[in-house]
Amino acid sequence: MPLRDHPVVVMGHGGGGALSAELTRHLFLPAYGGETLGGLTDSAAVTLGGTRLAFSTDSYVVRPLFFPGGSIGDLAVNGTVNDLAMSGAVPAYLSCAFILEEGTELSTVGRVAQALGAAAREAGVTVVTGDTKVVDSGHGDGVYVNTAGIGLIPEGVDIRPQRARPGDVVIVSGPIGQHGIAILSVREGLTFGTEVVSDTGPLAGLVRAMLAVTPEIHVLRDPTRGGLAAALNEIAAASDTGVVLDEGAVPVPEAVATACALLGLDPMYVANEGRLVAFVPREHAEAVLDAMRAHPLGREAAVIGACVAEHSGMVVARTGLGGTRIVDLPLGEQLPRIC
């Protein structure tokens, strides 16, 4: 198999970057097959009984379990709900499986379950089925959670990375990098002059507001593992187009910028859990941006670039000095175990 020279699994295989892509394309896709899976979208669009459904699953192994702004319970709901929303779907039902390590305090499990239930209610979805497994002490990390979800895709909506077109305006729904830095600050005991809070949140309502303006939104993606850079590179590769960013237009909170400067990180590669990036036809971009800014989770939405015909499959950023730099797909993940 044309994989990099790693005879065993390494942390980078779970980072959402080049190693993850290689593992998926060269190991899992040949094993599973199927045209739908090959689309590599955040959620699969399938038809059942004449109804178009979005279906997605995700596992959550974040460390620590609780962090500023959320917990593994919040992530388990919002991550799956957001994957469904990136197909334009209205999320409806979730499954939930807990993998518990022997010796974990039941009070901790209870806190996670309560947070998960509250997040589901906020997102307007219902947990309808689940499972629990226990592994030996030392063979887990307290609590792991898996959720799967289904939702209805409205008629006339066709959102997928292959639909990006030259001329599309690229919009991000808000400041980037908060989730990854929030996890890092707790995990490593770092302070940056102010508390950085995770941006975790359910994006389905924001997507509904955008689609109410026009169903002709070409692409939606939530830039989680691998950050904004990974999401844009995946879209460029899938659509055989290029992306040009205005680096100064990308919203980065001051605390995130400071933390990244101190630690040698690039905010473009830091994970988010409550942000989306949209590719919108230019004629609809202003109206969609206004609708996003009218929603609580899109108040700081910004136009950050455009889709172009040049340098297909590549993302470049115009710097403040007037030059350009390539924003490549990350190899692995700057900070593992962030979701």
Side-chain angles (χ1 to χ4, degrees):
M1 293 180 292
L3 297 169
R4 294 178 192 266
D5 188 21
H6 290 293
V8 297
V9 174
V10 297
M11 290 301 294
H13 284 125
L19 286 177
S20 292
E22 290 178 0
L23 188 67
T24 299
R25 292 184 182 279
H26 302 305
L27 192 152
F28 292 124
L29 286 183
Y32 301 158
E35 182 179 344
T36 300
L37 182 62
L40 296 178
T41 50
D42 284 329
S43 59
V46 297
T47 301
L48 184 64
T51 301
R52 291 183 69 217
L53 299 173
F55 179 36
S56 184
T57 186
D58 209 340
S59 298
Y60 300 88
V61 296
V62 64
R63 179 171 58 86
L65 298 176
F66 304 94
F67 47 83
S71 70
I72 192 173
D74 301 274
L75 293 183
V77 171
N78 295 334
T80 296
V81 163
N82 292 347
D83 282 347
L84 295 171
M86 295 308 103
S87 293
V90 179
Y93 299 109
L94 297 182
S95 70
C96 176
F98 273 61
I99 301 172
L100 308 175
E101 182 184 7
E102 182 185 24
T104 302
E105 295 285 344
L106 284 178
S107 59
T108 298
V109 180
R111 286 180 63 194
V112 172
Q114 289 292 329
L116 194 151
R121 289 187 289 274
E122 181 183 353
V125 296
T126 305
V127 179
V128 293
T129 188
D131 182 47
T132 305
K133 294 290 189 295
V134 176
V135 297
D136 296 337
S137 178
H139 289 78
D141 201 3
V143 179
Y144 296 153
V145 183
N146 172 275
T147 50
I150 57 173
L152 289 171
I153 301 176
E155 187 175 350
V157 171
D158 182 15
I159 299 174
R160 47 195 169 89
Q162 293 80 6
R163 293 198 68 215
R165 298 288 183 270
D168 283 354
V169 172
V170 180
I171 303 173
V172 69
S173 65
I176 65 170
Q178 290 170 266
H179 178 69
I181 297 302
I183 296 293
L184 178 65
S185 64
V186 176
R187 188 183 297 177
E188 305 300 335
L190 303 175
T191 58
F192 306 107
T194 184
E195 184 180 54
V196 181
V197 177
S198 171
D199 59 4
T200 179
L203 295 170
L206 176 60
V207 172
R208 284 197 295 273
M210 296 165 67
L211 289 173
V213 173
T214 175
E216 279 301 312
I217 294 172
H218 288 162
V219 186
L220 293 172
R221 201 82 167 193
D222 57 336
T224 53
R225 297 176 304 166
L228 183 62
L232 293 175
N233 272 277
E234 289 166 358
I235 294 167
S239 60
D240 199 27
T241 61
V243 176
V244 177
L245 299 178
D246 177 357
E247 194 168 49
V250 178
V252 181
E254 183 178 352
V256 171
T258 300
C260 288
L262 288 172
L263 299 170
L265 304 177
D266 186 336
M268 293 274 200
Y269 296 92
V270 178
N272 313 272
E273 285 293 342
R275 299 288 180 250
L276 65 79
V277 60
F279 282 55
V280 182
R282 188 169 297 278
E283 62 268 25
H284 299 300
E286 185 174 348
V288 169
L289 185 62
D290 288 343
M292 294 174 72
R293 287 175 172 169
H295 190 278
L297 294 182
R299 288 195 191 101
E300 297 178 81
V303 173
I304 60 171
C307 185
V308 298
E310 296 78 25
H311 51 76
S312 63
M314 184 181 296
V315 180
V316 301
R318 295 196 180 103
T319 68
L321 299 176
T324 59
R325 69 179 180 99
I326 295 174
V327 181
D328 206 356
L329 186 69
L331 183 63
E333 171 59 67
Q334 295 182 112
L335 181 66
R337 302 279 303 279
I338 46 79
C339 66

